[in-house]
């Protein structure tokens, strides 16, 4: 590495800070091939010295709709490292992680399969509304990272190519900075191409927010190598004296504009074209005039393309598949897709590995640089690329065991991504339904991971793929669920008009009033979760119309209805609290949907200051529970003190109520009709 002494020193100084328990973060920006990743490698010696760990992940421009891809890649690599250690160390990591994650480990093992190998199967977690689920997710990852990065073992987490980072990953990073004091032994590194990031990019917004909050962040901008450093680099590569390489390095410095990757690949190209060769005394020789007159490519992508095109035809075809599979890919999956043995695959790939186009990394294969992948993709015609993606997606899908839960697949997002990129314009009905289902399950998986933007994209893919006969018998439930989820995520992403259009379209096609009510209950929950209480109240009232229990806007009318209900409840001559406390949870779909409205209405009315309507909702919820079974809403009802002081004890949400709420979360949800396979 030449010309980067100052930047390397900054990185080393920052690392020393985290070994003393002082969180540090550093972003390195620069053009492609400028040496960002190479600079990070300077950390290897101090990491070993401090018994630290280093793990990294890389975003892929062609897989931007896969949530948390780079972060999960980094954490999976770290878990694999742990699993290679001694039994004593593995047991210590297991104990440390289990203490940190408690009973919520499954949230992590669902996205980091290697973690389950380390800590064992984890119990199912309680289902929570979106906001509570997001808070749990953030808190859990905060504690998880905190236990991985310790005084004994500082952790360096490097995320590459942040310019292609997905929205969910930016939320994750924002949370790390918000809670950086809980992560004193974490060194967070990021790299990105500044020329691909404008002021509207989420990364710029993240950096701006970090600066405003005064959180620790340093930045390094890597510029081109100066001519003297290019000269030093050429001289080092050729193992030749500086005076001898001066003219050649001047030419290459001008051609490459000081880009280190371009410099090294230019020399490689000249060697492959016999314009740079070893003489009989094993000294490098060249004819600069011949080099000037040659048709030497003027971009690094063109250089890599030239190198690829000289490979054997069967290897070129295999590299095209590799490029479509991503920057990093599994040789086992490549063998499956090409219907070759693993040995045959490596035999064909041997020249690419030998020339440094591909490298092996933790049981994976990886392009040495994004520009190699870009060069390989550039040469593939659009139609052939589409066909390759379709073939890759179908082969990966064919490996899924029959009857498997798609949402538990590690590579579901990858399968969906390839099939979406490879789909044609005229899909048959059966294929369209299948691809729609895959996107639906990918949307659910993304939503469960709190990657709302990605979930919304998948649900909309699923919706758009539905054939014209999607509302017919046999497809109704499937279509209903897809539209319901699409309306929900559009709302969660702030696309209110699109969400309303989808909701109204769904209501127009819903077969029963109960289906319509369920749509509105789901929408009410979503509106409440984003704090739009007035709209949530309005939507809930639309839903309660189907039960004949609309909450009046007029406060006096609401109070009259409440008093009437209180008389009816009092006439039962029972201990209301004792009756409800010992009542089983309702399993009836109609009852659960009505109670779902009250669960949102009561806190929404409270937040909106609509007191008479609040008391009426609490009374209606209580009456319904007495006749139809326990639900969460009655707990909110009892948390409202003195809503009828003549007939009720003054009650608040004590420990018994909290126990009920926990039990509710474990046992009741708005019912869902299973999606057709």
């Amino acid at each position: 590495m030449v010309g980067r002494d100052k930047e390397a020193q900054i990185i080393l100084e920052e690392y020393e800070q985290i070994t003393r328990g002082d969180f540090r973060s550093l972003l390195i920006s620069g053009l492609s091939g400028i040496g960002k990743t190479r600079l990070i490698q300077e950390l290897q010696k101090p990491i070993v010295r401090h018994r630290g760990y280093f793990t990294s992940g890389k975003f892929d421009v062609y897989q931007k709709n896969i949530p948390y891809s780079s972060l999960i890649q980094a954490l999976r690599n770290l878990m694999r490292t742990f699993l290679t250690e001694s039994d004593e160390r593995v047991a210590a990591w297991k104990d440390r992680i289990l203490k940190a994650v408690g009973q919520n480990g499954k949230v992590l093992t669902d996205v980091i399969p290697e973690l389950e190998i380390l800590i064992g199967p984890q119990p199912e977690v309680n289902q929570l509304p979106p906001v509570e689920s997001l808070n749990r997710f953030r808190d859990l990852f905060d504690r998880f990272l905190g236990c991985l990065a310790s005084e004994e073992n500082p952790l360096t987490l490097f995320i590459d190519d942040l310019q292609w980072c997905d929205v969910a990953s930016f939320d994750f990073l924002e949370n790390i900075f918000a809670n950086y004091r809980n992560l004193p032994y974490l060194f967070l590194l990021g790299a990105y191409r500044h020329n691909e990031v404008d002021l509207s990019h989420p990364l710029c917004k993240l950096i701006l927010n970090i600066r405003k909050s005064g959180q620790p962040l340093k930045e390094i901008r890597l510029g081109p190598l100066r001519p003297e450093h290019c000269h030093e680099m050429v001289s080092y590569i050729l193992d030749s004296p500086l005076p001898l390489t001066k003219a050649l390095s001047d030419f290459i410095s001008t051609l490459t504009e000081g880009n280190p990757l371009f410099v090294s690949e230019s020399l490689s190209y000249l060697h492959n074209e016999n314009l740079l060769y070893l003489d009989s005394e094993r000294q490098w020789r060249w004819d600069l005039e011949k080099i000037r007159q040659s048709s030497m490519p003027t971009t690094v992508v063109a250089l890599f393309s030239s190198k690829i095109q000289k490979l054997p035809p069967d290897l070129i075809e295999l590299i095209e598949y590799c490029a479509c599979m991503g920057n990093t890919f599994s040789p086992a999956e490549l063998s499956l897709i090409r219907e070759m043995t693993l040995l045959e695959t490596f035999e064909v790939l041997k020249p690419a590995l030998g020339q440094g186009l591909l490298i092996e990394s933790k049981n994976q294969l990886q392009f040495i640089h994004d520009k190699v992948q870009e060069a390989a993709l550039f040469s593939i015609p659009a139609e052939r690329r589409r066909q390759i993606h379709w073939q890759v997606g179908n082969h990966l899908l064919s490996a899924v065991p029959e009857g498997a839960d798609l949402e538990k697949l590690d590579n579901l997002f990858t399968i969906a991504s390839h099939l979406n990129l490879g789909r044609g314009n005229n899909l048959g009905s059966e294929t369209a339904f299948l691809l729609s289902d895959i996107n639906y399950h990918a949307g659910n998986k993304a939503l469960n991971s709190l990657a709302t933007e990605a979930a919304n994209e998948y649900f909309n893919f699923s919706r758009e793929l539905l054939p014209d006969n999607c509302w017919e018998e046999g497809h109704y439930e499937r279509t209903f669920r897809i539209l319901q989820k699409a309306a929900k995520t559009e709302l969660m992403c702030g696309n209110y008009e699109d969400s309303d259009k989808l909701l109204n379209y769904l209501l127009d096609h819903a077969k029963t009033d109960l289906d319509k009510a369920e749509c509105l209950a789901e929408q009410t929950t979503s509106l409440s979760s984003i704090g739009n209480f007035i709209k949530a109240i309005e939507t809930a009232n639309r839903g309660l119309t189907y039960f004949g229990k609309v909450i009046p806007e007029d406060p006096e009318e609401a109070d009259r209805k409440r008093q009437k209900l209180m008389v009816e409840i009092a006439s039962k001559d029972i201990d209301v609290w004792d009756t409800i406390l010992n009542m089983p949870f309702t399993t009836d779909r109609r009852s659960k949907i009505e109670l779902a409205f009250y669960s949102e209405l009561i806190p929404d009315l409270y937040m909106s200051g609509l007191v008479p309507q609040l008391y009426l909702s609490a009374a209606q919820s209580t009456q319904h529970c007495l006749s139809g079974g326990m639900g969460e809403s009655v707990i909110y009802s009892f948390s409202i003190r003195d809503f009828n002081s003549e007939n009720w004890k003054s009650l608040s949400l004590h420990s018994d109520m909290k126990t009920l709420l926990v039990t509710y979360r474990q046992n009741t949800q708005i019912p869902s009709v299973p999606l057709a396979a």
Side-chain angles (χ1 to χ4, degrees), residues 244-274:
L244 187 63
T245 57
K246 179 69 168 67
L248 177 62
S249 67
D250 285 347
F251 168 78
I252 289 178
S253 176
T254 302
L255 173 73
T256 63
E257 296 180 337
N259 185 292
L261 178 66
F262 201 173
V263 170
S264 61
E265 284 306 312
S266 295
L267 293 173
S268 177
Y269 172 85
L270 293 175
H271 174 56
N272 291 334
E273 295 294 318
N274 292 318

Side-chain angles (χ1 to χ4, degrees), residues 497-554:
E497 289 187 11
D498 291 337
S499 179
D500 278 344
K501 287 177 184 176
L502 287 174
L503 179 64
N504 290 328
Y505 174 73
L506 190 53
L507 292 173
D508 289 341
H509 288 82
K511 284 185 176 180
T512 67
D513 285 350
L514 200 55
D515 285 349
K516 294 177 182 179
E518 184 177 330
C519 294
L520 292 164
E522 181 81 22
Q523 194 78 345
T524 299
T525 300
S526 299
L527 286 162
S528 297
S529 72
I530 63 173
N532 195 340
F533 303 126
I534 298 301
K535 185 70 174 177
I537 294 167
E538 177 188 318
T539 304
N541 252 339
R542 287 176 68 188
L544 287 174
T545 302
Y546 297 108
F547 301 93
K549 296 185 179 180
V550 173
I551 305 296
E553 290 185 13
D554 179 52

Side-chain angles (χ1 to χ4, degrees), residues 487-503:
K488 175 178 181 174
T489 53
E490 286 286 8
L491 180 64
M492 293 174 73
C493 291
N495 306 323
Y496 304 122
E497 289 187 11
D498 291 337
S499 179
D500 278 344
K501 287 177 184 176
L502 287 174
L503 179 64

Side-chain angles (χ1 to χ4, degrees), residues 429-628:
S429 179
E430 184 178 350
T431 303
F433 275 125
L434 173 63
L435 187 50
S436 176
D437 276 358
I438 290 170
N439 276 279
Y440 172 80
H441 288 296
N444 281 336
K445 187 178 179 73
L447 194 57
N448 289 337
S449 299
L450 307 172
T452 310
E453 295 278 352
N456 190 49
E457 187 174 337
Y458 284 122
F459 286 135
N460 278 311
F461 269 135
S462 179
R463 176 177 59 84
E464 291 164 6
L465 284 160
L466 289 170
D468 293 337
N469 63 338
C470 62
W471 289 107
E472 293 179 2
E473 197 66 37
H475 303 303
Y476 171 81
E477 286 81 8
R478 173 201 328 246
T479 303
F480 183 85
R481 296 299 164 208
I482 291 168
L483 269 293
Q484 192 177 30
K485 287 294 179 69
K488 175 178 181 174
T489 53
E490 286 286 8
L491 180 64
M492 293 174 73
C493 291
N495 306 323
Y496 304 122
E497 289 187 11
D498 291 337
S499 179
D500 278 344
K501 287 177 184 176
L502 287 174
L503 179 64
N504 290 328
Y505 174 73
L506 190 53
L507 292 173
D508 289 341
H509 288 82
K511 284 185 176 180
T512 67
D513 285 350
L514 200 55
D515 285 349
K516 294 177 182 179
E518 184 177 330
C519 294
L520 292 164
E522 181 81 22
Q523 194 78 345
T524 299
T525 300
S526 299
L527 286 162
S528 297
S529 72
I530 63 173
N532 195 340
F533 303 126
I534 298 301
K535 185 70 174 177
I537 294 167
E538 177 188 318
T539 304
N541 252 339
R542 287 176 68 188
L544 287 174
T545 302
Y546 297 108
F547 301 93
K549 296 185 179 180
V550 173
I551 305 296
E553 290 185 13
D554 179 52
E556 293 182 0
E557 184 182 353
D559 193 54
R560 284 194 298 270
K561 291 186 72 172
R562 178 193 62 80
Q563 291 179 21
K564 182 180 178 182
L565 280 179
M566 296 309 301
V567 171
E568 292 177 10
I569 292 171
S571 69
K572 297 180 182 291
D573 196 25
I574 57 173
D575 185 323
V576 175
W577 163 242
D578 186 65
T579 301
I580 291 180
L581 185 63
N582 293 286
M583 184 174 286
F585 294 101
T586 183
T587 57
D588 176 67
R589 183 186 178 213
R590 180 182 178 86
S591 179
K592 290 169 79 173
I593 292 173
E594 182 179 341
L595 287 171
F597 285 115
Y598 298 130
S599 295
E600 301 301 336
L601 257 181
I602 293 172
D604 290 349
L605 289 165
Y606 173 80
M607 295 299 294
S608 302
L610 301 173
V611 178
Q613 290 85 350
L614 168 67
Y615 289 164
L616 173 57
S617 296
Q620 286 186 186
S621 167
T622 303
Q623 184 195 47
H624 183 83
C625 284
L626 289 170
S627 60

Side-chain angles (χ1 to χ4, degrees), residues 172-284:
F172 179 89
L173 294 173
E174 192 170 35
N175 188 61
I176 287 180
F177 280 103
N179 298 283
Y180 75 91
R181 297 184 191 281
N182 300 331
L183 304 166
Y185 295 97
L186 177 67
F187 189 16
L188 181 62
L189 288 169
Y192 68 97
R193 301 177 187 177
H194 66 274
N195 60 315
E196 297 183 28
V197 172
D198 59 22
L199 292 176
S200 65
H201 195 284
L203 179 58
C204 277
K205 296 176 182 176
L206 175 65
I207 293 171
L208 184 62
N209 290 337
I210 292 169
R211 286 173 176 164
K212 284 182 177 178
S213 303
Q215 295 157 351
L217 173 67
K218 279 193 176 181
E219 294 185 73
I220 294 175
R221 172 69 60 85
L222 288 185
L225 293 177
R226 294 163 61 182
E228 59 267 31
H229 294 137
C230 281
H231 188 186
E232 186 180 344
M233 184 176 177
V234 171
S235 179
Y236 175 82
I237 292 173
L238 298 182
D239 192 21
S240 301
L242 285 169
L244 187 63
T245 57
K246 179 69 168 67
L248 177 62
S249 67
D250 285 347
F251 168 78
I252 289 178
S253 176
T254 302
L255 173 73
T256 63
E257 296 180 337
N259 185 292
L261 178 66
F262 201 173
V263 170
S264 61
E265 284 306 312
S266 295
L267 293 173
S268 177
Y269 172 85
L270 293 175
H271 174 56
N272 291 334
E273 295 294 318
N274 292 318
L275 294 168
L276 180 65
Y277 57 91
L278 284 168
D279 63 15
S280 58
E281 297 179 356
R282 308 296 296 171
Q283 296 295 314
W284 288 104

